[in-house]
């Protein structure tokens, strides 16, 4: 095979850094450590049953993680990989993960740095045993000044920053190919893992989410718990060409948010895991700090939109490390439409056709 003249992830990062002559290179080093963790997880995923890391974490029924969900062995392995590849570098003040109730403190034997790394080490892990795509998703924040200055242990509060403050975010998708999608705040770039070189090569520059789409993704088994604006939106999609939207829609549901986000970055679409009335103690299914925020950052950087349904997700001030939130993201015009439905008075949210699109009552 001829030597590719594509940029590597390292080259991309160095060229991006040139925009900031004073940058130390710490962020780049951190992203490369995260990318290495993702490569290691990609190998563990690829070996599947042969690698001995499949199935539930404990012999019977699995360990229950902080989310009250059964942990897969690969959830635990992936979490370990993220920690081991990142704790030593002197770049981080602390880490937080879906799989750990409390923030992880950098051990005393290592120096501490100025960034916080927040991650879901294996997203979509219910798909692992059926050989469907899974991923890892991460968010990089700057640690509060007093943490950087004092080098003290991090607390939950140090991580509770709105998504708009993210320095970088990305995910790795372990699909037919392993890909890394990344934003350092200057658009979104996509890299494909060259399995021979073990390098992420730049294959998708300046990724843009089309503003319009005919494809939506939602777990329809929850429909009886949906709030009226969501029900209205989905009903209108389902009505297709004969309904108020005047066009047919297609539906997808992978049950790996990272894989859905990837489809949307590649060809548009809208994803919804909205707040619903299924369990009043859980305002949504997905987690703000390590699912909604990084995906929101990527969507916005690619010209798409991410929302709780009521407000841009990146504007939400977090209240807890493992806080759940309603999440809608993807093609801008569809996300804005869903937000509009949430803001319209309840009367218009009814199924009354007089109040639907193209009706006499709409201006
Ligand atoms: P995780 O495997 O990290 O717990 O996340 C799974 C999430 C997300 O990836 C996916 O969109 C959603 O849960 C699937 O939910 P359903 O089981 O309701 O389909
Ligand atoms: Mn997840
Ligand atoms: Mn997970």
């Amino acid at each position: 095979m001829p030597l590719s003249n594509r940029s590597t992830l390292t080259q991309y990062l160095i060229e991006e850094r040139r925009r900031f002559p004073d940058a130390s290179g710490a962020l780049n080093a951190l992203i490369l450590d995260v990318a290495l963790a993702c490569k290691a997880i990609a190998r563990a995923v690829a070996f599947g049953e042969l690698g001995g890391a499949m199935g539930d974490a404990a012999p019977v029924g699995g360990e229950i993680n902080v989310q009250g969900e059964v942990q897969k062995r690969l959830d635990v392995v992936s979490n370990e990989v993220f920690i081991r590849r990142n704790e030593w570098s002197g770049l981080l003040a602390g880490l937080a993960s879906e799989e750990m109730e409390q923030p992880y403190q950098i051990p005393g034997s290592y120096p501490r740095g100025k960034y916080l790394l927040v991650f879901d080490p294996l997203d979509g892990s219910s798909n692992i045993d059926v050989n469907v795509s899974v991923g890892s998703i991460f968010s990089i924040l700057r640690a509060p000044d007093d943490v950087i200055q004092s080098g003290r242990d991090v607390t939950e509060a140090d991580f509770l920053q709105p998504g708009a403050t993210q320095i970088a975010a990305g995910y790795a998708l372990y699909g037919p190919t392993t890909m890394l999608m990344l934003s350092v705040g200057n658009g979104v770039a996509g890299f494909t893992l060259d399995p021979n070189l073990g390098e992420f090569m730049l294959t998708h520059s300046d990724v843009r989410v089309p503003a319009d789409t005919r494809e939506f993704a939602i777990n329809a088994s929850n429909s009886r718990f949906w709030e009226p604006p969501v029900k209205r939106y989905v009903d209108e999609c389902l009505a297709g060409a004969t309904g108020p939207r005047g066009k047919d829609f297609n539906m997808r549901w992978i049950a790996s948010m990272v894989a859905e986000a990837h489809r949307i970055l590649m060809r548009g679409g809208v994803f919804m895991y909205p707040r619903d009335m299924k369990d009043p103690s859980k305002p949504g299914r997905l987690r703000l700090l390590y699912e909604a925020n990084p995906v929101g950052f990527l969507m916005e950087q690619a010209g798409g939109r991410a929302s709780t349904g009521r407000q841009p997700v990146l504007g939400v001030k977090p209240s807890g490390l493992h806080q759940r939130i309603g999440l809608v993201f993807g093609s801008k015009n569809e996300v804005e439409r869903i937000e509009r439905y949430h803001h319209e008075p309840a009367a218009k949210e009814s199924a009354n056709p007089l109040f639907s699109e193209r009706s006499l009552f709409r201006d």
Side-chain angles (χ1 to χ4, degrees):
M1 220 170 24
L3 186 65
S4 156
N5 59 5
R6 293 181 184 282
S7 302
T8 62
L9 173 61
T10 309
Q11 182 180 350
Y12 172 85
L13 289 171
I14 289 173
E15 287 173 356
E16 282 296 310
R17 198 186 85 198
R18 290 194 184 125
R19 294 187 299 122
F20 304 98
D22 296 335
S24 65
L27 178 66
N28 286 1
L30 170 55
I31 291 169
L32 290 172
D33 288 337
V34 170
L36 181 57
C38 294
K39 287 191 269 190
I41 297 167
R43 293 320 295 156
V45 168
F47 273 90
E49 205 62 60
L50 300 173
M54 302 294 277
D56 292 343
V60 186
E63 288 285 328
I64 303 296
N65 72 3
V66 51
Q67 317 293 331
E69 288 159 2
V70 173
Q71 271 181 321
K72 299 282 180 186
R73 215 171 293 169
L74 260 182
D75 285 321
V76 178
V77 168
S78 305
N79 193 55
E80 277 291 300
V81 169
F82 258 83
I83 292 172
R84 293 288 96 80
R85 293 275 67 91
N86 285 288
E87 66 181 345
W88 61 274
S89 64
L91 302 167
L92 289 175
L95 300 83
S97 156
E98 179 189 4
E99 304 302 336
M100 299 183 290
E101 185 160 9
Q102 297 297 327
Y104 180 86
Q105 307 296 346
I106 302 296
S109 48
Y110 299 127
R112 291 180 173 183
K114 63 182 174 195
Y115 293 111
L116 300 173
L117 177 64
V118 194
F119 54 97
D120 174 356
L122 200 66
D123 174 67
S125 54
S126 70
N127 277 326
I128 263 291
D129 293 330
V130 292
N131 201 10
V132 169
S133 297
V134 291
S136 302
I137 182 161
F138 62 91
S139 161
I140 296 173
L141 299 163
R142 201 184 147 84
D145 286 342
D146 79 293
V147 173
I148 300 172
Q149 280 149 20
S150 66
R152 68 162 166 79
D153 279 4
V154 284
T155 64
E156 175 169 358
D158 298 325
F159 290 84
L160 304 183
Q161 306 179 31
T165 66
Q166 290 172 100
I167 306 287
Y171 63 77
L173 174 64
Y174 314 119
T177 59
T178 292
M179 289 193 70
L180 180 77
M181 303 301 288
L182 176 72
S183 178
V184 291
N186 183 34
V188 175
F191 303 83
T192 303
L193 182 63
D194 179 328
N196 291 333
L197 299 176
E199 284 280 353
F200 280 112
M201 310 300 290
L202 181 62
T203 47
H204 297 68
S205 320
D206 196 21
V207 173
R208 306 299 295 168
V209 177
D212 292 298
T213 183
R214 292 170 172 234
E215 204 161 61
F216 70 101
I218 192 164
N219 182 344
S221 72
N222 292 324
S223 60
R224 71 185 186 282
F225 305 113
W226 292 340
E227 295 178 326
V230 172
K231 193 161 172 20
R232 171 183 171 192
Y233 177 78
V234 173
D235 283 348
E236 290 181 3
C237 290
L238 295 177
T242 58
R245 300 298 305 272
K247 60 180 184 178
D248 287 335
F249 281 76
N250 198 6
M251 199 182 89
R252 288 283 181 275
W253 188 251
I254 305 171
S256 287
M257 185 198 69
V258 162
E260 320 259 13
H262 193 67
R263 183 186 63 248
I264 290 171
L265 282 181
M266 293 295 106
R267 69 177 189 209
V270 62
F271 170 99
M272 288 163 278
Y273 217 122
R275 190 177 90 180
D276 61 29
M277 289 165 294
K278 190 173 187 175
D279 177 350
S281 72
K282 289 183 183 166
R285 163 90 162 88
L286 298 172
R287 280 57 61 109
L288 175 58
L289 284 178
Y290 42 82
E291 290 175 326
N293 275 345
V295 94
F297 193 74
L298 290 166
M299 288 296 146
E300 303 262 335
Q301 285 288 326
R305 191 169 171 87
S307 172
T308 65
R310 292 164 170 79
Q311 67 174 117
V313 94
L314 298 184
V316 175
K317 171 87 176 87
S319 57
L321 201 52
H322 300 287
Q323 174 183 356
R324 294 177 192 260
I325 197 150
L327 180 62
V328 177
F329 66 79
S331 294
K332 202 169 195 288
N333 290 339
E334 293 301 306
V335 177
E336 283 175 355
R337 173 184 290 269
I338 295 163
E339 288 177 310
R340 209 162 67 231
Y341 289 4
H342 279 85
H343 289 130
E344 281 175 8
K348 290 191 176 182
E349 288 168 357
S350 78
N352 185 339
L354 294 176
F355 291 105
S356 64
E357 291 272 301
R358 286 187 181 173
S359 80
L360 292 169
F361 296 87
R362 198 162 269 277
D363 44 38

